[in-house]
Amino acid sequence: MENNIINKVVVITGASSGLGEATAMHLAERGAKVILGARRVDLLENLVNNISAMGGIADFLQTDVTKKEDVKALVDFAVNNYGKIDVIINNAGIMPIAPMSEIRTDEWDSMIDINIKGVLYGIAAALPYFQKQKSGHIINLGSVAGIKVFSPGGTVYSGTKFAVRAISDGLRHEVGGDIRVTTIEPGAIESELKNSTKHETSSMIVNEFYKQAIPASSVARAIAYAIEQPANVDINEIVIRPTVQEF
């Protein structure tokens, strides 16, 4: 297949580590210009330096996806510096696992703010540009927990990922004539996601579960596959997990 990634301007949130970092590296290797957003500036600087060292094009802006003005600034930064935006990857997410009976409402709030509102803010920032240019690609990171509820412990997390899937499906129905929408739904992938669980018993379960994890590069390749399709081909969903993972 012809490389349909070269010179595309791709904005990635949650880009400082894990899936975001692996995706940035892979797309830059394929010729994309990647604009990276996350809170940890030191990691972003290091990633941009690594991409530049291999001959790729990358830039970054410190971004907190819970702040819609930050996400808009990231997308505007891409357009102002590179003349356009072709793809936004709404990747930032957290997964603090705990039984609902623990009433960890601060964690619930954080998951809603990052996993749902962060995706919506990414859509809100990119969609006007996409509609104006009558093209674009929105890629939202869901989860297998957005297909089947992960419980006990992951009920609220699953709720946020079910929301991502519903938002993606509805958005595709509304703007699908010109704009592609893809939901990537990973299983156990090696990343920092498991580290967001602070409930002691749940953390032990999560760490055991993630012993079967596959590399973040597995998801990066799936994202690249969706992006490289011709403009008239929209990969709606990709579910990707370890072969040995039952759930």
Side-chain angles (χ1 to χ4, degrees):
M1 181 179 294
E2 179 184 354
N3 185 352
N4 198 27
I5 295 174
I6 291 175
N7 291 324
K8 283 194 170 179
V9 177
V10 182
V11 171
I12 306 173
T13 67
S16 60
S17 66
L19 304 188
E21 178 185 15
T23 300
M25 290 289 292
H26 186 62
L27 294 180
E29 288 173 353
R30 301 289 302 278
K33 301 169 183 176
V34 294
I35 315 303
L36 313 175
R39 290 176 295 181
R40 295 177 291 181
V41 172
D42 57 333
L43 296 181
L44 289 173
E45 288 178 338
N46 186 59
L47 177 55
V48 166
N49 289 337
N50 288 340
I51 290 172
S52 298
M54 70 180 190
I57 298 174
D59 216 330
F60 77 90
L61 192 67
Q62 186 175 33
T63 306
D64 181 346
V65 298
T66 69
K67 299 176 180 177
K68 57 187 170 185
E69 60 272 16
D70 274 23
V71 184
K72 185 177 186 304
L74 178 66
V75 171
D76 289 346
F77 175 80
V79 174
N80 292 336
N81 285 275
Y82 296 91
K84 61 173 182 171
I85 174 176
D86 297 294
V87 184
I88 184 166
I89 302 172
N90 292 307
N91 166 70
I94 59 171
M95 188 187 71
I97 300 300
M100 292 196 74
S101 57
E102 292 290 321
I103 317 297
R104 300 168 81 96
T105 54
D106 287 346
E107 292 183 348
W108 301 352
D109 287 341
S110 294
M111 280 189 280
I112 290 168
D113 288 344
I114 296 171
N115 297 359
I116 301 177
K117 293 169 71 174
V119 168
L120 289 171
Y121 292 159
I123 293 168
L127 191 55
Y129 288 115
F130 289 164
Q131 290 179 309
K132 183 177 180 180
Q133 65 196 28
K134 296 188 182 302
S135 67
H137 195 171
I138 296 168
I139 300 178
N140 297 326
L141 265 292
S143 170
V144 293
I147 299 172
K148 178 182 177 182
V149 177
F150 174 37
S151 65
T155 301
V156 177
Y157 176 71
S158 279
T160 66
K161 292 304 185 177
F162 268 81
V164 169
R165 193 180 190 203
I167 290 164
S168 301
D169 284 352
L171 179 63
R172 185 183 302 110
H173 182 245
E174 291 189 25
V175 303
D178 298 314
I179 299 163
R180 301 191 293 178
V181 182
T182 300
T183 313
I184 306 291
E185 292 154 342
I189 307 295
E190 188 55 51
S191 72
E192 293 184 354
L193 193 63
K194 61 182 181 294
N195 299 335
S196 51
T197 296
K198 306 305 181 187
H199 181 253
E200 186 174 352
T201 303
S202 298
S203 180
M204 293 171 59
I205 294 170
V206 168
N207 284 315
E208 183 65 28
F209 178 77
Y210 268 81
K211 286 181 179 179
Q212 63 188 332
I214 54 179
S217 58
S218 308
V219 175
R221 291 193 299 272
I223 289 172
Y225 171 76
I227 293 173
E228 72 184 355
Q229 301 304 311
N232 64 342
V233 177
D234 187 358
I235 303 297
N236 295 172
E237 278 186 288
I238 298 178
V239 181
I240 179 169
R241 56 184 152 194
T243 306
V244 298
Q245 182 180 337
E246 295 181 0
F247 166 70

